[in-house]
Amino acid sequence: MTPDPTAGSAGDRSISRKTLLKAALVATAAPLLAGGGVALARDAGSAGVPLAPTPDCDDGDGPTHDQMEGPYFKPDSPLRTSLVTAGTPGVPLTVSGYVFGRACRPVPGVLLDFWQADTNGAYDMSGYAFRGHQFTDRSGAFTLTTVVAGLYPGRTRHIHVKARAPGSGILTTQLYFPGEPRNNTDTLYDPALLMNVRSVGSGKEGTFDFVLDVAQDPTDPTDPPTDPTDPPTGPGGNWAVGTLYNAGDRVTYGGGTYRCLQAHTALTGWEPPNVPALWERG
């Protein structure tokens, strides 16, 4: 079914720049589910109308709402996209989507740090279970493999996340599950942070698009994002895009010396001063 280009989730919103951009990405590099469906945040509702992005950056609305960090955050989480193993108890959950800037262009190289309770509602404070960070790919996409977060006193189900675009500040927020009874009693719950969640087999798939307060030059939404392998234009040094760095490697950048904390291949936007998860000064 072809969506009505004049309809939004409320039936009164014209087709957005972000919706057009998603359509272009679906046609090019979007990963697919085993059944052939698109795994990212561009699912269609029951009427075939694209789900409304939250928030809708093309209309100049504010970026994704921030929320409190809470008492369970720990720095230095592992670099990984999966928080589970084959034997991890709980309902399997995959969360995926895009990170956009204010001009509705995807942002590659965004650091996303996730943490949550296990299926029993407990946080691991002695280790790093259900904690991990990753970076958006060149199309601004991310995918997280985990389980549905458990309940604990006073809170509805939620997943914590910190998002930081290269060279920008940190957004701290939480993602929520639709249809949860405790959504009505949790004082922190924000409907603007609801994921779109559907059941797939014995598990669930959630989608959510972040909009960061990152200035971008408005362009045609179907233009491809800046190639993250383009040479950096910042200060010099021996740090270089495309180089595989191992933990303990040292580089110079912008007059400073940095030590690699985690093995990775360098991309534009991941310059040492911008990603403390990968580099420490000294």
Side-chain angles (χ1 to χ4, degrees), residues 38-66:
V38 177
L40 298 182
R42 57 186 77 79
D43 305 322
S46 59
V49 176
L51 294 173
T54 305
D56 197 1
C57 64
D58 67 290
D59 291 332
D61 295 344
T64 301
H65 295 184
D66 63 337

Side-chain angles (χ1 to χ4, degrees), residues 38-43 51 93-98 142 175-176 193-198 205-209:
V38 177
L40 298 182
R42 57 186 77 79
D43 305 322
L51 294 173
L93 171 69
T94 299
V95 180
S96 55
Y98 289 115
F142 71 92
L175 303 181
Y176 294 97
L193 299 173
L194 273 174
M195 295 182 288
N196 174 47
V197 178
R198 62 185 178 186
E205 290 177 350
T207 55
F208 189 86
D209 293 334

Side-chain angles (χ1 to χ4, degrees), residues 51-262:
L51 294 173
T54 305
D56 197 1
C57 64
D58 67 290
D59 291 332
D61 295 344
T64 301
H65 295 184
D66 63 337
Q67 291 224 307
M68 66 180 293
E69 178 181 283
Y72 302 116
F73 174 71
K74 290 178 63 177
D76 305 320
S77 69
L79 176 64
R80 58 189 180 190
T81 60
S82 178
L83 307 185
V84 298
T85 64
T88 300
V91 177
L93 171 69
T94 299
V95 180
S96 55
Y98 289 115
V99 178
F100 293 95
R102 291 298 300 270
C104 300
R105 292 178 61 82
V107 186
V110 174
L111 171 64
L112 296 171
D113 196 348
F114 294 97
W115 72 102
Q116 66 170 81
D118 64 17
T119 190
N120 297 315
Y123 287 87
D124 179 12
M125 298 306 294
S126 60
Y128 287 91
F130 292 102
R131 301 174 186 273
H133 72 270
Q134 60 178 279
F135 295 87
T136 55
D137 66 16
R138 63 173 297 174
S139 67
F142 71 92
T143 300
L144 176 72
T145 303
T146 183
V147 299
V148 174
L151 294 168
Y152 58 92
R155 293 304 315 275
T156 189
R157 298 186 199 276
H158 61 280
I159 298 174
H160 294 270
V161 59
K162 287 180 179 286
R164 182 178 184 180
S168 75
I170 299 174
L171 167 71
T172 301
T173 191
Q174 302 178 37
L175 303 181
Y176 294 97
F177 296 78
E180 289 290 329
R182 290 196 189 180
N183 288 351
N184 296 323
T185 58
D186 188 331
T187 57
L188 294 177
Y189 167 74
D190 183 345
L193 299 173
L194 273 174
M195 295 182 288
N196 174 47
V197 178
R198 62 185 178 186
S199 296
V200 177
S202 60
K204 294 183 179 294
E205 290 177 350
T207 55
F208 189 86
D209 293 334
F210 295 92
V211 178
L212 301 184
D213 194 8
V214 175
Q216 298 174 307
D217 292 331
T219 59
D220 188 318
T222 60
D223 286 345
T226 300
D227 188 336
T229 61
D230 287 344
T233 58
N238 64 6
W239 178 89
V241 169
T243 302
L244 174 60
Y245 291 107
N246 296 307
D249 289 350
R250 292 185 179 275
V251 299
T252 57
Y253 183 85
T257 301
Y258 298 86
R259 184 175 70 88
C260 180
L261 299 177
Q262 301 184 63

